[in-house]
Amino acid sequence: MIWWHAVLIAMAGVWAGMINTVVGSGTLVTFPVLVALGYPPVTATTSNAIGLAPGSISGAIGYRHELRGQRKRLLSFAPASLVGAIVGAILLLSLPADAFETVVPALVGLAVVLVIVQPKVSSWVLRRREERSEADASGSGLGGSLLVLVLIFLIGVYGGYFTAAQGVMLMAVMGMLINETMQRLNAVKNVLSAVVNVVAGTFYAFVAPVNWVVVALLAVGSVAGGLLGARIGRRLSPTALRTVIVVVGVAAMVQLVVRQL
C-alpha cells in the first residue's frame, strides 16, 4: 500500500468515527475513499464495517452518561439490531457481487437524501412532541411497541448489508416514536450502530473478502474519531457536517455509476 493511501484511509477513519458518533453516515466518507483507491465495492463494504466497529464502540462509551437509566430500552432494542445485522450480512454474502454493485449507487443516494432531510425530520419530530399531551410524555407508550422493534430490525438488516446512514435512520425512527431527548436517543443510536457493526464485522471477518491493512487503519482512526466526536463533535456545526457528507456521498454515487458504464 502506498503511504499516502494509508494516511488518507486513516484520516477518513477519524472523520467517519466522529461523524458516526454525532450524526451518523460516516460510511459515506470511508466507502467512497476506498472505492476511489481501487478496492472492490464488496471488499470496501466489509473492510469498512469491521474497521469502523471499534469507533462505534468508542462513540457509545463517550455517550455513557446519556445512557444512564436506559438499560431496559437497550435490552429490548439491541437483539433486534443484532438479528437484523446477521440477516443483512447474509444477504450481502449470498447475493452476487454484481447485484451489490448494481444496487449500491441507489443505497448511497438514499443515504444522501436521508442526510439532507434529517433536519426537517428532526423539526417535525420536535413539533409533534410539543403537540402531545402530558399523558404521553412518560415515554412508556410507543417506545416499547412492536412497531419500533420491527423498524429497528429492518434498519439492522440495512446496516448489515450497507452501513451508510443507519444512524440517521435510527434517529428518525426513535425520534418519531419515543418520548426522549435527542441526546439520550443519540446515545442509544450509538449503541445500536455498534451492535450492527460488530455483529456484521465479525461475520465478514470469517467468510468475506477483507483487506486487513485497511481494517487496521480504519479501526485506529475511527476510535480516535469516536472519542473526538463524543467530546467536541457536538460543538461543530451540524450544517457543516451534513455538507461534507452530502458532497462526499454524491461524489461516491457518481463514481459508482461511472464504474458500471
Side-chain angles (χ1 to χ4, degrees):
M1 178 184 292
I2 304 174
W3 70 268
W4 66 267
H5 282 197
V7 172
L8 183 60
I9 292 170
M11 291 178 60
V14 173
W15 189 247
M18 185 173 67
I19 289 176
N20 277 338
T21 302
V22 180
V23 181
S25 304
T27 296
L28 286 181
V29 174
T30 50
F31 178 79
V33 167
L34 295 178
V35 172
L37 294 178
Y39 296 95
V42 172
T43 301
T45 296
T46 56
S47 303
N48 189 66
I50 300 173
L52 294 185
S56 300
I57 296 172
S58 69
I61 293 173
Y63 269 80
R64 61 189 178 278
H65 297 297
E66 287 83 359
L67 288 172
R68 290 175 180 171
Q70 300 201 79
R71 181 180 178 184
K72 183 177 180 180
R73 180 173 288 155
L74 289 174
L75 290 176
S76 175
F77 292 172
S81 290
L82 186 150
V83 176
I86 294 174
V87 174
I90 291 174
L91 287 175
L92 177 64
L93 300 177
S94 300
L95 297 175
D98 290 345
F100 179 78
E101 294 187 18
T102 299
V103 75
V104 74
L107 294 177
V108 172
L110 171 63
V112 169
V113 170
L114 287 171
V115 171
I116 293 173
V117 303
Q118 188 266 339
K120 293 188 178 297
V121 172
S122 296
S123 298
W124 180 82
V125 168
L126 291 175
R127 288 197 303 271
R128 187 171 183 269
R129 286 177 178 175
E130 292 174 356
E131 294 171 356
R132 287 177 178 169
S133 64
E134 293 184 1
D136 288 333
S138 64
S140 61
L142 290 171
S145 71
L146 180 61
L147 175 60
V148 178
L149 292 176
V150 169
L151 291 174
I152 288 177
F153 164 76
L154 292 176
I155 294 170
V157 174
Y158 170 86
Y161 187 78
F162 186 65
T163 56
Q166 65 170 322
V168 176
M169 293 180 180
L170 285 169
M171 287 299 290
V173 167
M174 294 191 296
M176 286 185 285
L177 299 177
I178 301 173
N179 288 313
E180 187 58 270
T181 66
M182 296 303 284
Q183 286 293 353
R184 282 171 63 80
L185 290 180
N186 199 36
V188 174
K189 177 266 291 182
N190 286 333
V191 173
L192 298 182
S193 295
V195 169
V196 171
N197 287 343
V198 169
V199 171
T202 302
F203 202 93
Y204 298 151
F206 289 98
V207 295
V210 174
N211 187 300
W212 290 104
V213 175
V214 169
V215 168
L217 292 169
L218 289 177
V220 173
S222 68
V223 167
L227 294 173
L228 182 65
R231 291 192 175 187
I232 68 172
R234 283 170 285 182
R235 302 175 188 174
L236 299 177
S237 166
T239 301
L241 285 172
R242 276 190 294 271
T243 299
V244 171
I245 295 170
V246 170
V247 170
V248 174
V250 170
M253 188 167 49
V254 171
Q255 183 178 15
L256 289 165
V257 171
V258 170
R259 281 170 61 97
Q260 296 178 19
L261 298 179

